[in-house]
Amino acid sequence: VEIVQASVSSDDNEFAVLANAMLDPDSEPLGPDHIAAYFRGNVTDRLDRYRPVFQAATDPGRYPLLFNCTAGKDRTGFVAGILLRLLGVDEPTVLDDYMLSNAVRRGWIAEREDEHRLRIAESQGVPHDEVPETRLEASRALLNCDRHFLKAALDAVHDRWGSWEAFRRDGLGLDDGRFAAYREALLGCHQHLTCRQIRTTVSHSTRRAPPGRTGGARCRMVGSWTTHRRLRSPSTPEATWARYSQIRSRRSPPTTPGTAPATTGSWAL
């Protein structure tokens, strides 16, 4: 297993600024717009930091591959959303996929919200049930997904490059041959699939973080046995499942029940 850590944000990124302002009684609390600015900045200011991640994520030789970040919603969600759009998935479907992180992390979010409320109350010198709503809004922005966050990044792609093809070639540096190999590895002869079927095909399998990772993280996996087991349901098109059975048998070694699938690549953002 190859584990690679990629630093895609500075220590004083928008999340750190928002968290500090949330607890500082002398600072004006910041809200969701601050997180949306981070997503937009991934495209306008930090794309060079993300290029190595996209190079790895589109390399079929690394599959199966898992990538995750601390909370599993922002850096991970940004990468997953961009990959889906590059594959032709429509924007509403990509945003729906991003918002799934709220559902699968609901318990973790509730625990962190309670912790934030207590810390804010202590910093403000007020009872925990009298924490100002503006401070709680900052907490929710840190912990939850919002469609506007990822949409800010998607809009920035259109504003700067005009098309996803131009962004893929000129922004991410993924040439036609590399992208064709990536698309073939995921979709193969079923490249006519609908947008929702492509999303299922890429199958960013929702799982808790592996040991040593933050407990609330939502990991994204491509080409794993876990992914294929989750795909096998009555709603999965038979042709799609047949294609994935081929990929599974070709790329993933057998595992015994209850053990984690083998991975050839693991990226921590």
Side-chain angles (χ1 to χ4, degrees):
V1 176
E2 179 186 14
I3 299 177
V4 180
Q5 294 188 343
S7 176
V8 295
S9 302
S10 62
D11 292 338
D12 60 347
N13 63 68
E14 287 83 347
F15 297 99
V17 172
L18 191 152
N20 290 333
M22 178 183 72
L23 296 174
D24 186 351
D26 296 325
S27 296
E28 286 294 323
L30 303 171
D33 289 346
H34 210 64
I35 303 301
Y38 172 83
F39 275 78
R40 187 179 304 107
N42 287 347
V43 175
T44 60
D45 304 321
R46 284 181 292 272
L47 199 57
D48 58 330
R49 289 176 174 252
Y50 276 94
R51 285 193 187 99
V53 180
F54 285 106
Q55 287 289 335
T58 56
D59 179 3
R62 289 183 176 269
Y63 291 172
L65 177 142
L66 174 148
F67 56 99
N68 69 284
C69 59
T70 302
K73 74 178 183 74
D74 298 306
R75 289 163 291 186
T76 303
F78 169 73
V79 171
I82 293 296
L83 290 174
L84 287 171
R85 286 297 282 132
L86 289 174
L87 287 168
V89 178
D90 63 82
E91 185 172 297
T93 302
V94 170
L95 296 176
D96 287 344
D97 181 75
Y98 171 63
M99 292 299 292
L100 286 175
S101 288
N102 284 343
V104 301
R105 298 163 58 253
R106 187 175 293 114
W108 182 85
I109 290 172
E111 292 175 1
R112 300 293 86 74
E113 285 181 340
D114 289 342
E115 291 178 6
H116 283 187
R117 180 184 288 273
L118 292 175
R119 294 177 62 188
I120 295 170
E122 181 179 356
S123 69
Q124 297 285 308
V126 300
H128 75 279
D129 56 352
E130 295 182 11
V131 172
E133 178 61 26
T134 53
R135 302 283 169 175
L136 295 177
E137 183 181 30
S139 171
R140 287 190 287 268
L142 281 171
L143 298 173
N144 289 273
C145 292
D146 187 306
R147 297 176 76 89
H148 294 94
F149 297 167
L150 182 56
K151 192 175 190 314
L154 303 183
D155 288 347
V157 170
H158 285 288
D159 293 343
R160 176 156 293 199
W161 278 276
S163 72
W164 284 95
E165 282 294 303
F167 174 67
R168 187 256 300 169
R169 290 192 307 268
D170 304 329
L172 297 179
L174 300 175
D175 61 36
D176 294 345
R178 174 60 169 269
F179 186 70
Y182 164 63
R183 187 176 178 87
E184 170 68 21
L186 291 184
L187 304 179
C189 61
H190 298 289
Q191 299 194 30
H192 62 281
L193 295 177
T194 66
C195 290
R196 288 188 180 276
Q197 288 171 333
I198 291 176
R199 185 185 70 172
T200 302
T201 296
V202 176
S203 187
H204 301 304
S205 179
T206 300
R207 308 200 315 155
R208 287 293 181 184
R213 301 294 182 196
T214 300
R218 181 187 181 201
C219 302
R220 306 282 184 153
M221 300 190 71
V222 179
S224 73
W225 275 67
T226 299
T227 296
H228 298 303
R229 287 198 294 271
R230 291 173 61 84
L231 270 174
R232 187 51 161 158
S233 68
S235 61
T236 304
E238 195 63 32
T240 302
W241 173 250
R243 173 60 181 167
Y244 277 95
S245 295
Q246 295 170 13
I247 296 176
R248 179 184 67 178
S249 61
R250 184 172 69 248
R251 299 194 181 279
S252 300
T255 58
T256 57
T259 62
T263 58
T264 57
S266 178
W267 278 74
L269 306 180

